[in-house]
Amino acid sequence: MKKVTMADVAKLANVSKSTVSQYLNKRYEYMSEETRKRIAQAIEELGYQPNVIARSLKQKTTATIGVIVFNMLHMLTTQVLHAIEEECQKRGFQVIVCNSGDDPEKEKKYVDMLLAKQVDGLIVFPTGKNEEVYRRLVEERFPLVFVDRMVPGVEADSVLLDNAGAAEMAVQYFASYGYERIAIVTPPLVPYNVPRMERFEGFRAAMEKRGFEVGDQNVIAAEPAALPGELKKRFMESERPNALFAINDLTLMGVLRFVKETGIRMPDELAIINIDDVPFADIYTPALTTIAQPTFAMGKKAAERVFEQMDSNHADSPRVFRFSPALVERTWIKRGNGKEGRRNDEDS
């Protein structure tokens, strides 16, 4: 079967090959709406498929953006990815997604692979390591944007939550109901994980600001799978927490498994707030109060910044974009004095 060419499309649409080329490259400013319709109809009728490789060599672009995430299971990841893909689709770009599993070696291999495929830019949820890899890309002015985390020593665009603000919001909410024995629940604290450390430091600052005790008894750190066991140990102590701040959705899952296994009553015996507005929050019993990240706005901004870097005429110095968290209050909660109800305005 004869392969359909651009010349065949041009002949059927009664236009020149250059006009078809302009159409394929979305340069519509010099053609009428009628011409666009004829070309589109000819392409569909003939089943024409552009030679992507030839076009990319000619235009020096592959119209692809590489995205490396650290964990596909995080709700943040899937929602930010959705927004990135939507923004890229608007501009005629495709997205190649890789999952590093929070493994620096795997992350480096994916960077090398995506560069070999000649992607036009990278959006990365970094492991926090591989400084030299990213420093080299910045020096070469390769379009690069970090999401959710930053890499110490690498000056690149970064899009992330106001993590300290989110921790302050959680402590303020608990305090407004009279809770003082508040603990933070987190994966292991490591210095290269920026959001984790910022949420912890924000929690500690918020507790100290209110004169609450802050020590080992206020920090429960373990991988999500090990959290139920760690929480059981902590709750055997006499001065056990009566409020838990879970720093993300996967940590929340560990907390809820602990609640289920022990039969602890919420909110009578324990109040919980977590970062990430999980989809089951309003159908869980009792409904969960959460702190939402503006994931779609974050993904849109990440894509916009990588395209701005690709357009060297509009590129500016690297910037850090902090997005404000939002409290999503869903449930009644026990006050410190045992009364149940929603917070009064004067409490906040």
Side-chain angles (χ1 to χ4, degrees):
M1 185 175 178
K2 182 186 174 185
K3 184 177 179 181
V4 178
T5 67
M6 190 185 297
D8 297 325
V9 174
K11 183 178 180 180
L12 183 59
N14 196 27
V15 296
S16 67
K17 283 177 60 178
S18 63
T19 302
V20 175
S21 177
Q22 288 174 355
Y23 174 88
L24 294 172
N25 293 316
K26 302 185 187 301
R27 295 199 294 268
Y28 306 131
E29 55 268 30
Y30 300 116
M31 66 183 73
S32 67
E33 183 66 26
E34 178 60 30
T35 299
R36 288 173 60 180
K37 287 181 179 178
R38 288 206 315 274
I39 295 173
Q41 186 175 350
I43 288 172
E44 184 176 357
E45 187 176 326
L46 295 171
Y48 174 66
Q49 293 288 333
N51 188 325
V52 175
I53 295 175
R55 285 176 63 200
S56 67
L57 290 173
K58 185 176 181 180
Q59 299 172 6
K60 297 183 179 179
T61 175
T62 58
T64 54
I65 300 295
V67 182
I68 304 175
V69 303
F70 53 74
N71 192 334
M72 290 288 267
L73 297 177
H74 274 295
M75 191 186 76
L76 166 79
T77 306
T78 55
Q79 292 185 347
V80 170
L81 265 177
H82 181 76
I84 289 171
E85 185 178 26
E86 277 196 346
E87 196 63 27
C88 288
Q89 284 286 332
K90 289 178 188 175
R91 301 166 189 256
F93 274 67
Q94 303 299 315
V95 176
I96 302 174
V97 181
C98 305
N99 181 25
S100 73
D102 224 5
D103 179 346
E105 283 300 315
K106 200 172 176 184
E107 177 186 41
K108 183 178 182 301
K109 288 178 181 177
Y110 278 138
V111 170
D112 292 340
M113 180 271 288
L114 290 168
L115 293 177
K117 289 185 178 293
Q118 297 184 318
V119 294
D120 297 302
L122 285 175
I123 298 174
V124 184
F125 297 65
T127 60
K129 298 184 178 179
N130 288 317
E131 298 96 322
E132 287 304 317
V133 172
Y134 294 119
R135 195 176 291 119
R136 174 170 53 85
L137 291 177
V138 170
E139 289 172 356
E140 295 174 358
R141 300 182 66 83
F142 187 84
L144 172 67
V145 178
F146 293 138
V147 177
D148 188 55
R149 302 176 180 178
M150 295 181 288
V151 178
V154 179
E155 293 188 7
D157 278 352
S158 301
V159 176
L160 64 164
L161 185 70
D162 175 4
N163 292 299
E168 163 67 28
M169 186 176 283
V171 174
Q172 165 60 25
Y173 184 79
F174 283 139
S176 70
Y177 285 110
Y179 289 92
E180 295 183 6
R181 299 196 313 276
I182 308 166
I184 184 171
V185 187
T186 173
L189 295 167
V190 288
Y192 55 82
N193 190 307
V194 172
R196 203 175 293 179
M197 295 306 298
E198 287 184 346
R199 291 171 194 181
F200 170 68
E201 294 297 340
F203 169 79
R204 183 162 63 182
M207 293 285 282
E208 290 174 347
K209 184 171 83 172
R210 291 165 176 81
F212 296 165
E213 186 177 356
V214 185
D216 291 343
Q217 73 279 4
N218 301 95
V219 182
I220 302 166
E223 296 294 347
L227 273 177
E230 288 299 314
L231 285 162
K232 285 175 186 175
K233 292 178 189 175
R234 188 61 52 89
F235 274 68
M236 290 176 65
E237 300 171 5
S238 57
E239 283 295 304
R240 70 187 198 181
N242 59 3
L244 296 178
F245 167 43
I247 73 160
N248 60 34
D249 56 341
L250 297 185
T251 301
L252 172 68
M253 296 301 293
V255 172
L256 294 180
R257 286 192 189 96
F258 158 74
V259 169
K260 181 179 179 181
E261 290 172 8
T262 57
I264 286 179
R265 290 171 299 150
M266 294 168 49
D268 300 315
E269 298 177 277
L270 180 66
I272 298 172
I273 293 177
N274 70 284
I275 294 178
D276 291 324
D277 189 29
V278 291
F280 58 84
D282 58 346
I283 58 174
Y284 191 84
T285 304
L288 301 171
T289 291
T290 63
I291 295 173
Q293 301 195 56
T295 51
F296 291 99
M298 292 165 70
K300 185 174 187 294
K301 175 59 73 174
E304 287 173 348
R305 289 300 291 182
V306 84
F307 283 114
E308 285 173 18
Q309 290 181 42
M310 288 161 58
D311 183 357
S312 57
N313 294 326
H314 294 89
D316 55 15
S317 300
R319 295 173 59 188
V320 176
F321 298 87
R322 294 273 183 182
F323 283 75
S324 298
L327 182 71
V328 184
E329 189 174 9
R330 290 191 175 90
T331 190
W332 289 60
I333 191 167
K334 287 284 186 179
R335 289 184 179 276
N337 60 10
K339 294 179 182 178
E340 187 173 317
R342 288 191 182 275
R343 162 175 66 175
N344 293 328
D345 290 340
E346 63 265 23
D347 290 329
S348 55

